Structures are given as C-alpha cells and as structure tokens.
C-alpha cells in the first residue's frame, strides 16, 4: 500500500472503477449469451428482444471505453446473422 495520501485515494478509486467495469463486462457477456440461447431454442421473438438489449449494452461498453468499437461491430454482426438465421 502507498504511503502518500493521494496515492491511497487513487488506489481506492481504482478499485471502485474496476468493480464497476467488471459488472458492465459481465452484463454484456450475459446479454450476448441470452441471444445465442434464444437462437438455439428457435425463439425468434426472444432472440430479437435479447439482440436489442445486447446492442444497447455493446454501445454502452464502447462509449465507456470498456470494449473496442471493432469488437462491438463484430459482435453485432455475428449476433444479427444468428438472429436472422432463425425461422
């Protein structure tokens, strides 16, 4: 642990930020998995809803610098392709 007061504060704020970002990452992964589960079950309606939610979370992750914009574009494309394959 640091001896300087500002560094102690920085360590605490870094931990808070790390925990917040971890929650966003987990929510994003869950949203992506929900789309794929709905596609596996051939449930078009649920897949579209889950896809909309995943898109929203991907955009938020890019805006808050958690994920790169290319990652988000790749995932959106991949998920859209999966949702469109459901009849």
């Amino acid at each position: 642990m640091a001896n300087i007061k500002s560094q102690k504060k920085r360590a605490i704020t870094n931990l808070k930020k790390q925990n917040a970002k971890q929650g966003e990452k987990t929510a994003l992964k869950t949203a992506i998995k929900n789309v794929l589960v709905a596609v596996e079950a051939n449930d078009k309606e649920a897949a579209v809803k889950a896809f909309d939610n995943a898109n929203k979370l991907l955009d938020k992750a890019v805006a808050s610098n958690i994920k790169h914009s290319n990652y988000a574009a790749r995932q959106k494309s991949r998920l859209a392709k999966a949702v469109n394959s459901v009849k």
Side-chain angles (χ1 to χ4, degrees):
M1 186 73 181
N3 293 324
I4 301 168
K5 185 177 180 181
S6 64
Q7 290 304 314
K8 288 180 182 179
K9 183 177 179 182
R10 174 55 64 191
I12 291 169
T13 57
N14 284 345
L15 282 174
K16 287 181 183 176
K17 194 71 159 176
Q18 180 183 6
N19 290 336
K21 285 190 174 193
Q22 188 60 46
E24 277 193 60
K25 284 181 184 180
T26 304
L28 178 61
K29 287 180 189 179
T30 303
I32 290 172
K33 286 178 187 175
N34 287 341
V35 174
L36 298 176
V37 166
V39 168
E40 282 289 319
N42 283 329
D43 189 356
K44 180 84 171 182
E45 218 173 281
V48 170
K49 280 186 180 180
F51 178 65
D52 290 341
N53 185 37
N55 274 344
K56 180 176 141 188
L57 291 176
L58 282 165
D59 289 337
K60 277 187 176 182
V62 170
S64 59
N65 290 325
I66 291 176
K67 294 292 183 182
H68 195 273
S69 58
N70 288 352
Y71 170 84
R74 184 175 65 247
Q75 292 299 327
K76 285 180 184 181
S77 174
R78 182 175 146 251
L79 294 174
K81 186 176 177 183
V83 170
N84 290 335
S85 71
V86 176
K87 303 232 181 328

